[in-house]
Short mmCIF file of all heavy atoms in Angstrom, two decimals:
data_model
loop_
_atom_site.label_atom_id
_atom_site.label_comp_id
_atom_site.label_asym_id
_atom_site.label_seq_id
_atom_site.Cartn_x
_atom_site.Cartn_y
_atom_site.Cartn_z
N VAL A 1 -6.45 -5.32 -11.40
CA VAL A 1 -6.76 -3.91 -11.45
C VAL A 1 -8.14 -3.66 -11.09
O VAL A 1 -8.50 -2.82 -10.19
CB VAL A 1 -6.39 -3.22 -12.72
CG1 VAL A 1 -7.05 -1.87 -12.87
CG2 VAL A 1 -4.96 -3.12 -12.88
N ASN A 2 -9.03 -4.42 -11.66
CA ASN A 2 -10.46 -4.23 -11.28
C ASN A 2 -10.84 -4.66 -9.92
O ASN A 2 -11.61 -3.96 -9.18
CB ASN A 2 -11.25 -5.14 -12.33
CG ASN A 2 -11.36 -4.65 -13.70
OD1 ASN A 2 -11.00 -3.48 -13.90
ND2 ASN A 2 -11.66 -5.55 -14.67
N ALA A 3 -10.16 -5.70 -9.46
CA ALA A 3 -10.38 -6.12 -8.02
C ALA A 3 -9.85 -4.92 -6.99
O ALA A 3 -10.58 -4.67 -6.04
CB ALA A 3 -9.68 -7.34 -7.65
N CYS A 4 -8.78 -4.41 -7.40
CA CYS A 4 -8.31 -3.37 -6.51
C CYS A 4 -9.26 -2.09 -6.52
O CYS A 4 -9.55 -1.50 -5.49
CB CYS A 4 -6.84 -2.88 -6.97
SG CYS A 4 -5.51 -4.07 -6.65
N ASN A 5 -9.67 -1.69 -7.66
CA ASN A 5 -10.63 -0.67 -7.82
C ASN A 5 -11.79 -0.88 -7.12
O ASN A 5 -12.41 0.02 -6.45
CB ASN A 5 -10.90 -0.26 -9.39
CG ASN A 5 -9.68 0.38 -9.96
OD1 ASN A 5 -9.00 1.22 -9.38
ND2 ASN A 5 -9.55 0.24 -11.24
N ASP A 6 -12.38 -2.06 -7.15
CA ASP A 6 -13.60 -2.48 -6.51
C ASP A 6 -13.45 -2.34 -4.96
O ASP A 6 -14.26 -1.81 -4.24
CB ASP A 6 -14.07 -3.89 -6.70
CG ASP A 6 -14.57 -4.09 -8.25
OD1 ASP A 6 -14.89 -2.96 -8.83
OD2 ASP A 6 -14.66 -5.25 -8.66
N MET A 7 -12.24 -2.90 -4.51
CA MET A 7 -12.01 -2.77 -3.09
C MET A 7 -11.82 -1.36 -2.58
O MET A 7 -12.24 -0.91 -1.50
CB MET A 7 -10.71 -3.57 -2.71
CG MET A 7 -10.88 -5.11 -2.76
SD MET A 7 -9.42 -5.96 -2.42
CE MET A 7 -9.20 -5.80 -0.67
N LEU A 8 -11.11 -0.48 -3.31
CA LEU A 8 -11.00 0.98 -3.01
C LEU A 8 -12.34 1.66 -2.98
O LEU A 8 -12.58 2.59 -2.15
CB LEU A 8 -9.99 1.57 -4.05
CG LEU A 8 -8.59 1.15 -3.86
CD1 LEU A 8 -7.66 1.67 -4.93
CD2 LEU A 8 -7.97 1.55 -2.51
N ARG A 9 -13.13 1.30 -3.99
CA ARG A 9 -14.44 1.90 -4.00
C ARG A 9 -15.22 1.65 -2.71
O ARG A 9 -15.99 2.46 -2.19
CB ARG A 9 -15.22 1.49 -5.24
CG ARG A 9 -15.25 2.58 -6.39
CD ARG A 9 -16.24 2.05 -7.47
NE ARG A 9 -15.39 1.95 -8.67
CZ ARG A 9 -14.94 0.84 -9.21
NH1 ARG A 9 -15.37 -0.29 -8.67
NH2 ARG A 9 -14.38 0.76 -10.27
N LYS A 10 -15.11 0.29 -2.37
CA LYS A 10 -15.82 -0.12 -1.10
C LYS A 10 -15.31 0.57 0.13
O LYS A 10 -16.15 1.03 0.92
CB LYS A 10 -15.79 -1.52 -1.02
CG LYS A 10 -16.61 -2.34 -2.05
CD LYS A 10 -16.44 -3.84 -1.89
CE LYS A 10 -17.14 -4.58 -2.96
NZ LYS A 10 -16.86 -6.05 -2.99
N SER A 11 -14.09 0.81 0.16
CA SER A 11 -13.47 1.21 1.37
C SER A 11 -13.46 2.80 1.45
O SER A 11 -13.61 3.42 2.57
CB SER A 11 -12.04 0.80 1.61
OG SER A 11 -11.19 1.47 0.66
N LYS A 12 -13.44 3.34 0.29
CA LYS A 12 -13.45 4.90 0.12
C LYS A 12 -12.31 5.52 0.93
O LYS A 12 -12.44 6.80 1.11
CB LYS A 12 -14.78 5.42 0.52
CG LYS A 12 -15.89 5.17 -0.52
CD LYS A 12 -15.70 6.00 -1.75
CE LYS A 12 -16.96 5.79 -2.57
NZ LYS A 12 -16.83 6.39 -3.83
N LYS A 13 -11.51 4.81 1.43
CA LYS A 13 -10.36 5.44 2.18
C LYS A 13 -9.16 4.59 2.02
O LYS A 13 -9.03 3.46 2.28
CB LYS A 13 -10.69 5.35 3.72
CG LYS A 13 -9.70 6.03 4.68
CD LYS A 13 -10.12 6.00 6.12
CE LYS A 13 -8.97 6.58 6.90
NZ LYS A 13 -9.16 6.37 8.33
N MET A 14 -8.13 5.35 1.48
CA MET A 14 -6.86 4.67 1.21
C MET A 14 -5.94 4.89 2.52
O MET A 14 -5.92 5.97 3.11
CB MET A 14 -6.12 5.30 0.05
CG MET A 14 -6.99 5.07 -1.23
SD MET A 14 -6.22 5.55 -2.82
CE MET A 14 -4.77 4.56 -2.73
N LYS A 15 -5.23 3.85 2.79
CA LYS A 15 -4.35 3.91 3.94
C LYS A 15 -2.97 4.43 3.44
O LYS A 15 -2.48 4.25 2.35
CB LYS A 15 -4.22 2.54 4.44
CG LYS A 15 -5.55 1.96 4.99
CD LYS A 15 -5.51 0.56 5.45
CE LYS A 15 -6.80 0.06 5.99
NZ LYS A 15 -7.53 -0.80 5.13
N VAL A 16 -2.24 4.94 4.37
CA VAL A 16 -0.88 5.47 4.15
C VAL A 16 0.09 4.29 4.10
O VAL A 16 0.07 3.31 4.93
CB VAL A 16 -0.48 6.46 5.24
CG1 VAL A 16 1.03 6.94 5.05
CG2 VAL A 16 -1.44 7.67 5.26
N ILE A 17 1.02 4.39 3.03
CA ILE A 17 2.00 3.26 2.99
C ILE A 17 3.00 3.45 4.18
O ILE A 17 3.53 4.47 4.39
CB ILE A 17 2.78 3.34 1.74
CG1 ILE A 17 1.84 2.97 0.52
CG2 ILE A 17 3.98 2.38 1.67
CD1 ILE A 17 2.44 3.11 -0.79
N ASP A 18 3.20 2.30 4.97
CA ASP A 18 4.30 2.39 5.94
C ASP A 18 5.15 1.19 5.81
O ASP A 18 6.16 1.11 6.55
CB ASP A 18 3.72 2.55 7.33
CG ASP A 18 2.86 1.40 7.71
OD1 ASP A 18 2.45 0.53 6.97
OD2 ASP A 18 2.44 1.35 8.95
N THR A 19 4.74 0.13 5.07
CA THR A 19 5.48 -1.05 4.96
C THR A 19 6.25 -1.20 3.63
O THR A 19 7.14 -2.00 3.60
CB THR A 19 4.50 -2.28 5.13
OG1 THR A 19 3.63 -2.13 4.10
CG2 THR A 19 3.95 -2.26 6.45
N VAL A 20 5.99 -0.52 2.56
CA VAL A 20 6.61 -0.76 1.33
C VAL A 20 8.13 -0.47 1.38
O VAL A 20 8.96 -1.10 0.79
CB VAL A 20 5.96 0.22 0.32
CG1 VAL A 20 6.79 0.19 -1.02
CG2 VAL A 20 4.52 -0.19 0.01
N TYR A 21 8.58 0.49 2.21
CA TYR A 21 9.97 0.92 2.22
C TYR A 21 10.72 0.22 3.30
O TYR A 21 11.89 0.30 3.33
CB TYR A 21 10.06 2.38 2.39
CG TYR A 21 9.27 3.10 1.33
CD1 TYR A 21 8.07 3.68 1.64
CD2 TYR A 21 9.76 3.12 -0.05
CE1 TYR A 21 7.34 4.23 0.50
CE2 TYR A 21 8.95 3.70 -1.00
CZ TYR A 21 7.81 4.29 -0.75
OH TYR A 21 7.02 4.81 -1.74
N LYS A 22 10.11 -0.58 4.19
CA LYS A 22 10.92 -1.24 5.28
C LYS A 22 11.84 -2.14 4.72
O LYS A 22 12.95 -2.22 5.20
CB LYS A 22 9.88 -1.94 6.25
CG LYS A 22 9.05 -0.97 7.13
CD LYS A 22 8.18 -1.66 8.05
CE LYS A 22 7.42 -0.58 8.87
NZ LYS A 22 6.53 -1.14 9.88
N ASN A 23 11.54 -3.11 3.82
CA ASN A 23 12.36 -3.90 3.23
C ASN A 23 13.64 -3.36 2.61
O ASN A 23 14.82 -3.67 2.74
CB ASN A 23 11.76 -4.87 2.23
CG ASN A 23 10.86 -5.90 2.86
OD1 ASN A 23 10.95 -6.18 4.05
ND2 ASN A 23 9.89 -6.36 2.06
N GLU A 24 13.35 -2.17 1.95
CA GLU A 24 14.40 -1.51 1.20
C GLU A 24 15.33 -0.92 2.30
O GLU A 24 16.61 -0.98 2.07
CB GLU A 24 13.76 -0.35 0.41
CG GLU A 24 14.77 0.38 -0.52
CD GLU A 24 14.15 1.39 -1.41
OE1 GLU A 24 13.07 1.08 -2.11
OE2 GLU A 24 14.65 2.45 -1.39
N GLU A 25 14.81 -0.38 3.25
CA GLU A 25 15.70 0.32 4.24
C GLU A 25 16.48 -0.88 4.95
O GLU A 25 17.60 -0.73 5.32
CB GLU A 25 14.94 0.99 5.40
CG GLU A 25 14.27 2.34 4.76
CD GLU A 25 13.50 3.00 5.72
OE1 GLU A 25 13.46 2.57 6.93
OE2 GLU A 25 12.82 4.01 5.37
N ASP A 26 15.94 -2.04 5.32
CA ASP A 26 16.52 -2.99 5.91
C ASP A 26 17.74 -3.50 5.12
O ASP A 26 18.82 -3.76 5.58
CB ASP A 26 15.66 -4.16 6.23
CG ASP A 26 14.64 -3.92 7.33
OD1 ASP A 26 14.98 -2.99 8.07
OD2 ASP A 26 13.70 -4.69 7.45
N GLU A 27 17.60 -3.54 3.75
CA GLU A 27 18.55 -3.91 2.86
C GLU A 27 19.77 -3.00 2.86
O GLU A 27 20.92 -3.23 2.84
CB GLU A 27 18.13 -4.18 1.31
CG GLU A 27 17.32 -5.48 1.18
CD GLU A 27 16.78 -5.53 -0.24
OE1 GLU A 27 17.49 -4.99 -1.13
OE2 GLU A 27 15.93 -6.34 -0.40
N ASP A 28 19.41 -1.70 2.77
CA ASP A 28 20.38 -0.63 2.94
C ASP A 28 21.18 -0.79 4.08
O ASP A 28 22.48 -0.58 3.86
CB ASP A 28 19.74 0.71 2.83
CG ASP A 28 19.18 1.19 1.45
OD1 ASP A 28 19.52 0.45 0.49
OD2 ASP A 28 18.41 2.06 1.50
N ILE A 29 20.73 -1.08 5.18
CA ILE A 29 21.42 -1.17 6.38
C ILE A 29 22.20 -2.42 6.33
O ILE A 29 23.50 -2.43 6.71
CB ILE A 29 20.46 -1.13 7.59
CG1 ILE A 29 19.89 0.21 7.75
CG2 ILE A 29 21.17 -1.56 8.84
CD1 ILE A 29 18.63 0.23 8.70
#
């Protein structure tokens, strides 16, 4: 959690999730 918070503070920009749901969709298909 601390490492993630440190990385987010450094980047100050969060990216949009586009890969989290791909596996789930592939399984559904």
Side-chain angles (χ1 to χ4, degrees):
V1 166
N2 289 341
C4 290
N5 284 331
D6 289 346
M7 288 176 70
L8 289 172
R9 259 188 242 100
K10 287 177 187 172
S11 74
K12 289 286 187 186
K13 182 178 177 192
M14 297 186 61
K15 299 173 181 108
V16 178
I17 293 179
D18 63 350
T19 57
V20 173
Y21 304 105
K22 288 182 182 176
N23 288 338
E24 187 175 312
E25 287 176 11
D26 290 343
E27 283 182 25
D28 287 343
I29 293 167

